[in-house]
């Protein structure tokens, strides 16, 4: 069993839709939870960061962490074609050594 | 924001040769740098962690004699793939951690193709 599970998709939604991306994990020691966006053949860029459980909102993006269920989510509101990318969840015990999910390939259709 | 560069961005080499990839933090000093490998449609897998002036720490299953890492300064780390084989073809990404806080900054990646 992988430490972090993420549905690879692909996921295709119309412009303006709300997108929900999720990851589950098995290591209860994870404390730092992140979402990265990766465009094709580029390095990942950090979108959202959450420490421990709770919600965090930044513009159109909302990250949720439920440690009791070992489940994290990223919501994208009013999705735009420019949001089309691969989204990777990542988590760690000590904020440095990241364990990544497989990534979900998202396409927003105009 | 903090910028990390990688050079080259892509490289093609023959089987049996060695390839060096550079990772530089351009506007900050990195106490720690990480090297990841990403196969097509797969996630990033951590290969090794390097700290300036000390030996790299390799993840289980990563051959340290094959993937040589040198963190010569606080702004430069290099990954040398020795005696490369076609199965080493992959996307190699580095990240740099400035110390303090939580965020590590990723380079744009290097695509290695071994013929």
């Amino acid at each position: 069993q992988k430490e972090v599970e993420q549905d690879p998709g692909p996921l295709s939604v119309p412009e303006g839709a709300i997108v929900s991306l999720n990851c589950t994990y098995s290591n209860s020691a994870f404390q730092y939870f992140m979402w990265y966006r990766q465009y094709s053949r580029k390095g990942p860029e950090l979108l959202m960061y959450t420490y421990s459980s709770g919600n965090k909102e930044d513009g159109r993006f909302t990250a949720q962490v439920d440690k009791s269920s070992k489940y994290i989510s990223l919501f994208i509101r009013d999705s735009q074609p420019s949001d089309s990318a691969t989204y990777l969840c990542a988590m760690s015990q000590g904020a440095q050594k990241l364990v990544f999910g497989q990534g979900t390939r998202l396409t927003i259709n105009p | 924001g903090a910028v990390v560069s990688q050079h080259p961005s892509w490289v093609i080499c023959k089987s049996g040769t060695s390839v060096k990839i550079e990772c530089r933090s351009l506007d900050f000093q990195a106490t720690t740098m990480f090297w990841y490998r990403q196969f097509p449609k797969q996630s990033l897998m951590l290969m090794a962690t390097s700290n300036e002036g000390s030996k790299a720490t390799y993840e289980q299953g990563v051959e340290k004699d094959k993937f040589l890492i040198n963190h010569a300064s606080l702004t430069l780390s290099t990954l040398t793939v020795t005696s490369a084989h076609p199965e080493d073809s992959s996307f190699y990404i580095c990240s740099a951690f400035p110390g303090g806080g939580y965020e590590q900054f990723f380079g744009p990646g290097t695509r290695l193709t071994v013929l």
Side-chain angles (χ1 to χ4, degrees):
Chain A
Q1 182 188 5
K2 294 180 182 178
E3 274 192 295
V4 180
E5 297 276 1
Q6 183 178 7
D7 186 340
L11 180 62
S12 182
V13 301
E15 183 176 356
I18 296 175
V19 177
S20 173
L21 304 168
N22 311 292
C23 289
T24 60
Y25 63 95
S26 57
N27 188 346
S28 58
F30 287 144
Q31 293 281 359
Y32 299 83
F33 303 91
M34 299 162 190
W35 286 95
Y36 286 84
R37 178 172 61 195
Q38 185 179 25
Y39 293 109
S40 181
R41 301 192 177 191
K42 300 291 184 184
E45 56 176 327
L46 182 65
L47 272 180
M48 299 287 287
Y49 157 79
T50 307
Y51 173 73
S52 193
S53 283
N55 296 353
K56 189 170 186 178
E57 186 173 323
D58 184 2
R60 297 185 294 112
F61 298 89
T62 300
Q64 292 183 349
V65 174
D66 182 349
K67 290 191 70 179
S68 62
S69 302
K70 298 190 181 66
Y71 186 87
I72 71 170
S73 302
L74 176 70
F75 298 95
I76 307 174
R77 292 183 299 279
D78 188 24
S79 55
Q80 305 294 312
S82 58
D83 294 328
S84 298
T86 296
Y87 289 80
L88 299 137
C89 63
M91 45 200 81
S92 68
Q93 297 182 47
Q96 287 194 44
K97 192 173 174 180
L98 297 176
V99 179
F100 281 86
Q102 189 175 348
T104 299
R105 182 172 292 185
L106 173 66
T107 300
I108 309 297
N109 301 303
Chain B
V3 179
V4 176
S5 69
Q6 279 184 244
H7 178 79
S9 57
W10 60 273
V11 57
I12 301 173
C13 69
K14 293 182 178 180
S15 185
T17 61
S18 294
V19 174
K20 180 184 284 188
I21 302 170
E22 290 187 351
C23 175
R24 291 182 185 274
S25 56
L26 298 185
D27 50 5
F28 66 97
Q29 292 185 329
T31 58
T32 306
M33 287 186 171
F34 302 90
W35 286 95
Y36 297 84
R37 181 167 51 184
Q38 187 177 33
F39 292 107
K41 298 185 179 181
Q42 298 290 320
S43 187
L44 281 77
M45 297 298 294
L46 180 64
M47 299 175 64
T49 302
S50 73
N51 294 291
E52 185 263 341
S54 61
K55 290 184 178 180
T57 302
Y58 291 82
E59 295 300 302
Q60 190 174 8
V62 177
E63 301 174 58
K64 59 182 180 181
D65 294 330
K66 182 170 185 61
F67 299 99
L68 302 179
I69 292 172
N70 184 359
H71 194 154
S73 75
L74 286 172
T75 59
L76 173 65
S77 177
T78 59
L79 168 68
T80 302
V81 184
T82 62
S83 186
H85 292 283
E87 58 266 29
D88 299 323
S89 298
S90 187
F91 193 52
Y92 292 87
I93 303 176
C94 72
S95 71
F97 181 69
Y102 58 87
E103 188 171 0
Q104 54 185 276
F105 300 93
F106 286 82
T110 296
R111 182 161 301 280
L112 170 65
T113 301
V114 184
L115 303 176

